[in-house]
Amino acid sequence: ALETYHADGNVADELAALEALATLSLDHADYENVLKYVDQGTSLAQEADNPQREGHMLALLGDLQTMLGRAPGAETAYKEAISAFERTEAEQDIGLTLDKLAGLYLELGRFDEVVTALERAIPIFERADCTDCLIGAFDKLGDAHFELVHNDQARASYTRVLSLARQADDLQGLFAALSKLGELLEDMGERDQALLCFQQA
């Protein structure tokens, strides 16, 4: 299909095929082909002045760098993806990439930057009414505030996860939030409340 689209000069479908191939290659840990398709797709998207598709390619590159443990490269790719998305109306893509960037910062222990990224992403997810996105974002936000010993903010974040997980009937999210909230409450000296959370978990 990719060869046919290229031969026909069908740039839009060629870009879609390149992104699909890069995604499939990433799923199969075929890192060499991820790079090949991402490089082709990024160059073609730039030539075609398609910043949204360029952003998708750069986000995939960030995912690859994250999988390979190359944090600086991942950070750069995600930031470049966000810059590309900002040239379009792709607000949801911006939010999702900010969330990935926050996850990277959380692994690196850069907790203030986790908070900054998610404080920008969460309003986007709220406008899109994306419950799953919000559960993941507030969970990471709670973890960052917990590490920063911002107890009130961590409690508010984990409580929001509880509410969202109950609405979505997400038992795994509910279990994680109750466990984390219990740990936080125990640290705060609220042992009875902590015990209740652990029992519910």
Side-chain angles (χ1 to χ4, degrees), residues 21 28 33 43 46 61 74 80-82 106-107 129 132 137 144 173:
L21 285 164
H28 290 89
N33 274 323
S43 297
Q46 290 171 345
L61 179 60
E80 288 179 353
I82 292 166
L106 193 62
E107 289 184 14
D129 196 25
D132 288 344

Side-chain angles (χ1 to χ4, degrees), residues 21-194:
L21 285 164
T23 302
L24 285 168
S25 298
L26 188 66
D27 289 343
H28 290 89
D30 184 358
Y31 303 136
E32 186 175 336
N33 274 323
V34 178
L35 281 174
K36 181 180 80 172
Y37 294 128
V38 164
D39 285 345
Q40 289 179 26
T42 303
S43 297
L44 184 60
Q46 290 171 345
E47 290 172 16
D49 191 25
N50 188 330
Q52 185 169 9
R53 193 67 75 176
E54 180 187 351
H56 288 167
M57 292 295 181
L58 289 165
L60 282 167
L61 179 60
D63 294 344
L64 173 63
Q65 299 281 30
T66 299
M67 288 177 68
L68 294 175
R70 299 173 181 169
E75 180 181 10
T76 298
Y78 287 143
K79 285 183 173 179
E80 288 179 353
I82 292 166
S83 295
F85 290 137
E86 286 173 340
R87 306 202 310 270
T88 73
E89 299 297 319
E91 187 179 59
Q92 182 80 350
D93 288 323
I94 293 172
L96 291 170
T97 310
L98 283 165
D99 187 66
K100 290 181 178 183
L101 191 58
L104 178 66
Y105 288 148
L106 193 62
E107 289 184 14
L108 296 172
R110 293 161 59 177
F111 303 118
D112 285 321
E113 288 168 282
V114 175
V115 173
T116 299
L118 290 174
E119 283 181 344
R120 186 178 170 198
I122 284 170
I124 293 173
F125 295 151
E126 287 176 332
R127 285 192 290 274
D129 196 25
C130 181
T131 301
D132 288 344
C133 303
L134 286 168
I135 288 173
F138 276 111
D139 181 60
K140 286 190 283 290
L141 185 62
D143 291 349
H145 281 308
F146 180 85
E147 295 294 341
L148 291 165
V149 200
H150 297 163
N151 291 337
D152 290 341
Q153 294 95 321
R155 185 176 194 163
S157 296
Y158 291 144
T159 300
R160 185 72 188 277
V161 175
L162 281 177
S163 174
L164 289 163
R166 284 195 180 102
Q167 290 173 25
D169 198 24
D170 178 358
L171 293 180
Q172 187 61 41
L174 196 59
F175 168 76
L178 284 165
S179 301
K180 291 179 179 183
L181 184 58
E183 185 179 350
L184 172 66
L185 291 169
E186 187 176 13
D187 284 356
M188 294 172 65
E190 299 184 26
R191 298 181 64 84
D192 290 343
Q193 289 297 314

